[in-house]
Amino acid sequence: MPADMIGPSDPALPPQGAPEQPLVQVGDIVVSAHWVVTPNGPAPLAGSQWTVRDLSFPVQKTPTWAIVLAVVGFFFFLGLLFLLVKETRMEGYIEVTVRSGHLVHVTQIPRASPAGFQAFEQVRYAQQLAWQAGQQG
């Protein structure tokens, strides 16, 4: 529905006036005391459902320093042992889904980013806020 056709009494939109302060942001999802705001639009926080999935996976690689030492030490034959050195890194992303009324939004946060490490805590906090909003209204 176009924005100019939505009336001021539409319960799916935040009330006009001073916007609420954001309490937590998970990827591109912003949560205030009463609203979930996403690029797909706003929705009430009360009754929202949150899911988070870790879609990361380990990747093993030979580090650059080991390759350089293997090339430099090639003539000593022990240098080739450096090629056996492996580093394991986690790659992938954390997927967060929020459902509230008609709104369904999924965001993906890179696992290696600082936000990826905080995603589970932030979703847990958003779930607590949703529960509190449901108790108030």
Side-chain angles (χ1 to χ4, degrees), residues 15-100:
Q16 299 299 320
E20 293 182 342
Q21 287 290 91
L23 299 175
V24 67
Q25 181 170 354
V26 183
D28 58 1
I29 303 169
V30 178
V31 180
S32 68
H34 299 98
W35 296 97
V36 176
V37 181
T38 71
N40 295 338
L45 178 61
S48 63
Q49 298 174 343
W50 295 78
T51 56
V52 59
R53 296 185 337 171
D54 187 350
L55 299 174
S56 60
F57 51 92
V59 175
Q60 284 192 339
K61 291 183 177 180
T62 302
T64 306
W65 64 266
I67 295 171
V68 170
L69 288 176
V71 170
V72 171
F74 175 72
F75 298 105
F76 300 109
F77 299 111
L78 291 176
L80 295 177
L81 291 176
F82 285 109
L83 294 178
L84 297 176
V85 175
K86 300 288 183 199
E87 284 183 343
T88 302
R89 293 188 205 170
M90 294 301 287
E91 293 186 4
Y93 55 91
I94 308 295
E95 181 180 87
V96 178
T97 304
V98 61
R99 289 181 167 86
S100 179

